[in-house]
Amino acid sequence: SQQGEEDPQALSIQEGENATMNCSYKTSINNLQWYRQNSGRGLVHLILIRSNEREKHSGRLRVTLDTSKKSSSLLITASRAADTASYFCATTGTASKLTFGTGTRLQVTL
Amino acid sequence: EAQVTQNPRYLITVTGKKLTVTCSQNMNHEYMSWYRQDPGLGLRQIYYSMNVEVTDKGDVPEGYKVSRKEKRNFPLILESPSPNQTSLYFCASRDRTEGNTIYFGEGSWLTVV
């Protein structure tokens, strides 16, 4: 069963705008990670936030976590065409199992 | 360079013909896993392994087998492939510390006709 559900499924913005993607999950987690996937390629780890953290930054990425609402958001500021990709959240709970959501497809146009 | 290597990258095969997708990592990671990715369903875990000779079922293990005889290798075996196993497959690994970065292979496109 899917643990994470991303919203929106698809997002189209212009270069320079900010992109926000949301992830909701169902059960308690130890941490939540965001991954990026270029079309047909492997996933690349972006950022990890632990269950006792509320916000984390990495370059143009900002991740928030609200465990009371079982949700997380990924903000990409000043987006570039090269940010065009699919973005997945993934949660780790019991048994070290990493469970992925269905992803958000981001299209950044010039 | 840290790498997870899968082979083959692309394969078209026929129903019932056994095939193996190999996976190898050079990071001495204990944990390895296989996922399949299908449109609208995201990534679903097939099998995972916490260490040598330790394997467990993921969410969609039916029709697949795995083995972990060595730390670096984690092959995925389709004994009798069927068309519903047409998918993009990813192998991944990380060290034992939960929450550490998972490294993914580049994917194997498998078509069963």
Side-chain angles (χ1 to χ4, degrees):
Chain A
S1 61
Q2 294 296 316
Q3 166 74 313
E5 296 291 336
E6 284 91 342
D7 172 58
Q9 290 188 337
L11 180 61
S12 182
I13 60 173
Q14 290 193 316
E15 201 171 50
E17 294 180 335
N18 295 342
T20 300
M21 291 160 260
N22 302 296
C23 169
S24 60
Y25 57 92
K26 297 174 184 173
T27 60
S28 296
I29 61 170
N30 294 333
N31 60 67
L32 185 145
Q33 303 179 50
W34 284 91
Y35 286 81
R36 166 201 168 111
Q37 182 184 32
N38 287 2
S39 181
R41 305 293 298 275
L43 281 77
V44 175
H45 180 264
L46 293 176
I47 196 167
L48 177 150
I49 186 165
R50 300 192 187 281
S51 59
N52 60 354
E53 297 175 312
R54 292 296 166 258
E55 188 171 312
K56 206 160 183 182
H57 296 254
S58 176
R60 293 185 295 112
L61 305 180
R62 173 177 169 255
V63 169
T64 62
L65 179 64
D66 187 336
T67 53
S68 66
K69 295 181 180 178
K70 291 187 169 59
S71 67
S72 172
S73 68
L74 171 67
L75 168 68
I76 304 174
T77 59
S79 62
R80 306 165 182 167
D83 294 328
T84 294
S86 291
Y87 292 82
F88 293 87
C89 68
T91 55
T92 303
T94 58
S96 299
K97 182 180 175 182
L98 190 68
T99 305
F100 286 86
T102 52
T104 292
R105 292 189 312 279
L106 173 65
Q107 176 75 44
V108 182
T109 56
L110 296 171
Chain B
E1 181 188 354
Q3 268 190 330
V4 178
T5 304
Q6 301 177 222
N7 279 296
R9 294 288 318 282
Y10 304 92
L11 179 64
I12 300 174
T13 190
V14 296
T15 298
K17 185 177 181 182
K18 179 180 178 180
L19 70 92
T20 299
V21 186
T22 63
C23 175
S24 179
Q25 49 96 1
N26 64 357
M27 295 164 280
N28 203 36
H29 285 166
E30 287 88 0
Y31 180 95
M32 297 184 74
S33 63
W34 276 101
Y35 295 85
R36 61 178 289 174
Q37 185 176 25
D38 303 288
L41 297 176
L43 278 86
R44 294 178 293 168
Q45 191 178 55
I46 303 171
Y47 268 95
Y48 65 98
S49 169
M50 299 294 285
N51 213 327
V52 176
E53 301 291 2
V54 181
T55 62
D56 276 299
K57 295 177 181 179
D59 294 318
V60 287
E62 295 78 21
Y64 305 94
K65 284 175 57 178
V66 292
S67 68
R68 188 88 183 274
K69 294 184 171 59
E70 307 163 282
K71 202 173 195 180
R72 63 182 291 123
N73 295 323
F74 190 44
L76 179 69
I77 303 156
L78 286 73
E79 293 273 1
S80 183
S82 62
N84 65 12
Q85 292 179 296
T86 293
S87 187
L88 175 58
Y89 291 87
F90 288 102
C91 180
S93 76
R94 65 163 168 79
D95 70 20
R96 72 173 64 190
T97 306
E98 184 183 298
N100 275 15
T101 300
I102 288 191
Y103 294 85
F104 282 84
E106 284 295 300
S108 295
W109 290 92
L110 172 63
T111 300
V112 184
V113 297

